[in-house]
């Protein structure tokens, strides 16, 4: 039966394929594809876990006191029966063999299948056995984790082949952790669907960075969609169509082909300089997460890296921090890949929607705060961990010997933070001098993403070389909206007058002080905001490489001098979006 699920469109385009469900277990489960050579080993891991759990349950039965309730022994028998049921481990084996899931993912996938079967049973007693099944699976996952903890290494290897055959795969989940997203980014999925999230949640940002359609905030998708259902993701309207009819399927296949043709047309602008009709040259920089992304930035025609999110070097490491040498090699690789173009490295911004795998003493306090988006994150965390911070800064300065690097500090809100940063930089450079390590001048910049920083910008500007406006958090904090919460996603409004006032004044003040200013939030990569940012005086945009062609096309058709005449009316308007639309449409007609 065909049905639709509605959510928030966050990455445009159409994706058609089979659903792959990532179940939300109470036990953290790694999700990755394994290579053919690791299939037998993963099956053996699952079987060893079964045998270990069986021994535990048998031991519990043997050690049970004589006065123990009869129901307790019966419950252990039920768990043993479920453990040896071919519907659990036999089908788990099939997920490993046919889809090349790692053992934990395969077991979770089969749990999802069986749990739904239990939910549909009419008998109350049988329906309640789902809890027993979940407990058995959690024991199995715990046994696998314990085995790894003893040094038994699993086949944790992400591969890039599509083991589903010719059918594209679409990922469906309640939510996707940033660490998992980085694994999936290098994998085979053609689209994402999640129950929670908003337009600037991390899942949405990574989906856009992969240039694949995504719908978030669906609330029920992971419960309603089944493994291997045929699904259409309409990333333009936020609609998910499950088991579509042949007519609907053909309509969306046509739209898919049209989208691919448009993408190919825009790709031809790659080597065209981004210059407005009135001769203003615009910098189009790239946002990247890993050094390898720099190659995509160059291929897309980026003129530099405006935001290297260094925190992704800290993820998927079991809580272990990267060494100074590891970071140095990563930053050096990015700098060299950009072939002399500038690379702006943001210091680690963990916290909120990007926690580390395991917390230190300071972070543990952060993990349990009620609102992590306002807790110990970004520069606050770095200053609370001075040894880690100095290590990262040394790595960044060492990499500066191989190309132009700019240092960007996130979430600054106090002058005292700037003073601590400057003192830390002085110590770092002294350490490098004492060690005979070469480095060159590194420009210092701050992110304007807290309203307080935007308001006090005149006090910050004398201490920095540039500023970068992070619109995602600036909107979140200005409007008191959790950008990852689908319940209030409709209130997240980049066109809100207060937001536009803060952005416009930040750009104007930075330019008046002779300091360079860029926008690196999602507004920069959305062509709907290109004319607005140009009329505010912005001349440096930073976005994911895949977004550069559409923004460049808008710039090539714009006259910045004529556009800026509309700014006073836009900022004074009760409905800035409508005012901007009318003003820019009139400007476009005059130009053509």
């Amino acid at each position: 039966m065909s049905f639709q699920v509605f959510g928030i469109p966050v990455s445009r385009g159409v994706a058609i394929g089979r659903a792959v469900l990532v179940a939300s277990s109470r036990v953290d489960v790694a999700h990755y594809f394994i290579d053919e050579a690791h299939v037998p080993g993963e099956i053996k891991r699952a079987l060893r876990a079964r045998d270990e759990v069986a021994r535990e349950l048998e031991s519990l039965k043997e050690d049970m006191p004589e006065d123990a309730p009869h129901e307790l022994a019966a419950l252990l028998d039920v768990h043993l029966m479920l453990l040896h049921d071919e519907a659990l481990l036999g089908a788990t084996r099939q997920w490993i063999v046919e889809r090349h899931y790692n053992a934990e993912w395969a077991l979770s996938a089969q749990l999802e299948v069986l749990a739904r079967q239990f939910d549909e049973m009419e008998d109350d007693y049988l329906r309640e056995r789902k809890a027993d099944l979940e407990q058995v699976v959690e024991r199995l996952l715990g046994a696998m984790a314990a085995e790894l903890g003893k040094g038994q290494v699993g086949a944790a290897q992400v591969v890039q082949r599509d083991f589903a055959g010719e059918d594209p795969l679409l990922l469906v989940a309640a939510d996707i952790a940033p660490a998992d997203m980085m694994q999936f980014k290098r994998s085979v999925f053609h689209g994402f669907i999640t129950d929670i999230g908003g337009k600037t949640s991390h899942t949405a940002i990574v989906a856009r960075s992969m240039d694949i359609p995504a719908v978030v905030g669906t609330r029920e998708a992971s419960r309603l969609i089944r493994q291997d259902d045929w699904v259409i993701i309409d990333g333009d309207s936020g609609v998910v169509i499950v088991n579509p009819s042949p007519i609907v399927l053909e309509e969306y296949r046509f739209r898919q082909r049209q989208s691919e043709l448009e993408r190919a047309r825009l790709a031809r602008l790659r080597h065209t300089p981004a210059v407005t009709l009135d001769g203003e040259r615009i910098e189009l920089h790239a946002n990247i997460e890993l050094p390898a992304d720099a190659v995509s930035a160059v291929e897309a025609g980026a003129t530099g890296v405006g935001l290297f999110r260094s925190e992704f070097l800290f993820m998927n490491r079991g809580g272990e921090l990267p060494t100074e040498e590891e970071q140095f090699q990563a930053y050096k690789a990015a700098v060299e890949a950009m072939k002399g173009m500038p690379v702006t490295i943001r210091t680690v911004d963990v916290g909120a929607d990007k926690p580390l795998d395991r917390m230190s003493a300071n972070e543990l306090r952060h993990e349990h705060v009620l609102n992590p988006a306002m807790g110990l994150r970004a520069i606050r965390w770095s200053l609370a961990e001075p040894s880690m911070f100095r290590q990262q800064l040394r790595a960044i300065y060492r990499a500066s010997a191989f190309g132009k690097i700019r240092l960007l500090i996130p979430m600054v809100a106090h002058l005292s933070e700037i003073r601590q940063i400057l003192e830390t930089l002085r110590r770092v450079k002294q350490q490098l001098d004492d060690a005979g390590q070469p480095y060159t001048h590194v420009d210092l910049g701050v992110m304007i993403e807290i309203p307080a920083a935007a308001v006090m910008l005149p006090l910050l500007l004398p201490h920095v070389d540039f500023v970068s406006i992070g619109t995602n958090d600036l909107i979140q904090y200005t409007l008191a909206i959790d950008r990852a919460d689908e319940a209030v996603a409709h209130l997240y409004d980049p066109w809100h007058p207060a937001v536009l006032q803060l952005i416009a004044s930040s750009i104007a003040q930075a330019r008046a002080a002779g300091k360079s200013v860029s926008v690196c939030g999602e507004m920069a990569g959305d062509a709907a905001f290109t004319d607005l940012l140009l009329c505010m005086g912005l001349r440096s945009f930073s976005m994911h490489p895949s977004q550069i062609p559409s923004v460049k096309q808008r710039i090539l058709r714009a006259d910045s001098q004529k556009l800026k005449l509309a700014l006073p009316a836009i900022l004074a308007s009760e409905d800035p979006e409508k005012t901007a639309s009318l003003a820019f449409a009139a400007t476009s007609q005059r130009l053509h």
Side-chain angles (χ1 to χ4, degrees):
M1 183 184 72
S2 180
F3 62 91
Q4 295 182 348
V5 179
F6 298 91
I8 302 166
V10 295
S11 187
R12 296 174 181 173
V14 172
I16 303 170
R18 290 194 179 276
V20 173
L21 266 70
V22 175
S24 53
S25 169
R26 281 173 285 179
V27 177
D28 288 336
V29 174
H31 300 88
Y32 50 85
F33 289 92
I34 59 170
D35 207 344
E36 181 72 39
H38 290 100
V39 168
E42 288 298 283
I43 293 173
K44 288 178 181 177
R45 287 183 62 221
L47 295 177
R48 284 198 299 269
R50 180 197 63 187
D51 295 342
E52 176 62 27
V53 172
R55 283 193 293 271
E56 289 177 3
L57 295 176
E58 292 287 2
S59 178
L60 286 172
K61 280 185 64 178
E62 291 174 5
D63 296 340
M64 193 175 297
E66 293 182 3
D67 58 348
H70 172 72
E71 292 80 6
L72 187 55
L75 183 62
L76 291 175
D77 286 333
V78 169
H79 283 206
L80 281 164
M81 180 187 68
L82 290 170
L83 187 64
H84 291 288
D85 193 326
E86 191 67 11
L88 182 60
L89 266 298
T92 296
R93 185 188 299 112
Q94 290 303 109
W95 289 113
I96 298 172
V97 172
E98 295 176 7
R99 281 289 179 81
H100 286 221
Y101 292 174
N102 65 301
E104 291 87 346
W105 186 1
L107 186 60
S108 297
Q110 187 55 21
L111 170 62
E112 187 73 18
V113 171
L114 295 176
R116 294 190 184 200
Q117 293 176 7
F118 277 100
D119 287 338
E120 292 169 359
M121 292 176 179
E122 294 184 4
D123 185 278
D124 290 343
Y125 174 80
L126 292 176
R127 249 198 334 269
E128 290 170 2
R129 299 285 66 77
K130 183 176 106 171
D132 295 317
L133 176 67
E134 290 173 339
Q135 291 171 17
V136 168
V137 169
E138 287 186 16
R139 280 184 174 273
L140 288 166
L141 292 172
M144 291 182 196
E147 182 185 52
L148 290 176
K150 293 175 183 175
Q152 302 278 352
V153 180
Q157 179 176 356
V158 178
V159 295
Q160 301 192 15
R161 292 168 52 199
D162 187 344
F163 294 106
E166 297 180 0
D167 297 337
L169 300 181
L170 308 181
L171 188 67
V172 184
D175 191 19
I176 307 172
D180 270 345
M181 282 298 293
M182 296 314 297
Q183 295 278 34
F184 294 143
K185 183 175 180 179
R186 299 187 291 270
S187 195
V188 299
F189 295 106
H190 293 246
F192 292 93
I193 304 165
T194 62
D195 293 348
I196 67 174
K199 280 185 176 293
T200 55
S201 61
H202 184 72
T203 302
I205 292 171
V206 174
R208 282 192 290 271
S209 79
M210 296 168 69
D211 198 20
I212 59 176
V215 174
V216 303
T218 61
R219 293 180 178 265
E220 297 289 323
S222 69
R223 188 179 65 83
L224 297 173
I225 300 172
R226 298 174 182 271
Q227 293 280 2
D228 283 330
D229 275 350
W230 274 101
V231 174
I232 295 172
I233 298 177
D234 185 339
D236 297 311
S237 62
V239 177
V240 175
I241 305 171
V242 184
N243 295 321
S245 68
I247 294 175
V248 172
L249 194 59
E250 186 52 39
E251 177 190 342
Y252 274 94
R253 289 198 191 282
F254 174 76
R255 286 180 53 183
Q256 216 175 19
R257 290 191 293 270
Q258 292 297 105
S259 178
E260 289 167 0
L261 289 172
E262 174 65 11
R263 193 169 299 179
R265 187 183 66 80
L266 287 174
R268 292 198 287 268
L269 297 175
R270 186 178 68 172
H271 299 300
T272 303
V275 181
T276 63
L277 292 173
D278 56 317
E280 287 279 354
R281 182 173 290 275
I282 309 299
E283 293 179 343
L284 293 182
H285 291 171
N287 295 345
I288 67 172
E289 279 123 19
L290 296 170
D293 297 338
V295 176
S296 300
V298 173
E299 290 175 350
T303 54
V305 169
L307 178 65
F308 181 164
R309 298 183 174 100
S310 67
E311 55 270 15
F312 289 96
L313 299 176
F314 290 66
M315 293 180 177
N316 287 335
R317 302 177 56 88
E320 296 297 322
L321 298 178
T323 65
E324 179 182 326
E325 186 63 25
E326 286 177 288
Q327 292 187 66
F328 162 67
Q329 292 296 339
Y331 304 142
K332 176 174 174 281
V335 167
E336 291 179 334
M338 290 308 296
K339 305 180 187 303
M341 292 181 282
V343 175
T344 303
I345 301 174
R346 181 176 70 184
T347 56
V348 60
D349 185 8
V350 296
D353 62 344
K354 290 172 290 187
L356 291 185
D357 303 327
R358 197 167 64 234
M359 300 288 187
S360 69
N362 277 329
E363 293 168 89
L364 280 171
R365 293 194 296 272
H366 159 63
E367 184 186 27
H368 298 293
V369 298
L370 294 177
N371 191 341
M374 295 186 180
L376 187 65
R377 55 168 294 203
I379 187 57
R380 300 171 181 178
W381 185 74
S382 294
L383 292 175
E385 300 283 351
S387 177
M388 179 284 302
F389 190 36
R390 288 194 299 271
Q391 185 180 71
Q392 181 175 33
L393 293 176
R394 283 196 301 270
I396 291 171
Y397 266 78
R398 286 172 59 193
S400 72
F402 298 87
K404 182 173 176 55
I405 285 182
R406 305 198 310 168
L407 178 66
L408 182 59
I409 309 296
M411 209 176 173
V412 168
H414 301 273
L415 267 178
S416 59
E417 292 168 337
I418 294 288
R419 295 189 182 101
Q420 290 182 72
I421 292 163
L422 291 172
E423 174 59 23
T424 303
L425 288 174
R426 186 194 65 76
R427 291 186 60 187
V428 162
K429 287 186 278 190
Q430 184 61 55
Q431 290 173 341
L432 293 175
D433 289 338
D434 293 343
Q437 294 277 10
Y439 63 91
T440 61
H441 174 74
V442 174
D443 284 347
L444 174 65
V446 292
M447 290 193 74
I448 304 302
E449 50 191 341
I450 296 178
V455 171
M456 65 179 289
L457 189 55
L459 298 178
L460 298 176
L461 286 171
H463 303 281
V464 300
D465 302 299
F466 69 99
V467 296
S468 184
I469 303 172
T471 54
N472 302 349
D473 273 337
L474 183 62
I475 297 167
Q476 170 175 248
Y477 293 131
T478 302
L479 303 181
I481 300 297
D482 184 344
R483 59 190 176 99
D485 185 351
E486 77 282 358
V488 293
H490 63 288
L491 298 174
Y492 184 93
D493 182 13
W495 287 100
H496 192 286
V499 171
L500 299 187
Q501 292 281 357
L502 289 174
I503 295 172
S505 66
S506 297
I507 293 171
Q509 290 179 83
R511 294 191 65 179
K515 303 297 173 75
S516 64
V517 55
S518 67
V519 168
C520 64
E522 291 300 299
M523 284 177 68
D526 188 339
F529 293 98
T530 303
D531 287 351
L532 175 69
L533 294 172
L534 286 173
C535 89
M536 288 180 174
L538 187 71
R539 298 296 179 262
S540 179
F541 296 64
S542 190
M543 66 204 73
H544 188 270
S546 66
Q547 298 169 318
I548 289 175
S550 60
V551 172
K552 183 182 287 188
Q553 176 180 255
R554 197 71 176 248
I555 289 169
L556 294 173
R557 297 174 177 176
D559 185 317
S560 63
Q561 295 304 310
K562 289 185 171 65
L563 287 174
K564 76 177 184 180
L565 298 176
L567 185 59
I570 293 171
L571 295 181
S573 174
E574 293 181 0
D575 188 351
E577 184 174 8
K578 182 178 179 180
T579 302
S581 178
L582 293 172
F584 297 155
T587 300
S588 179
Q589 289 172 4
R590 289 197 300 271
L591 291 173
H592 297 93

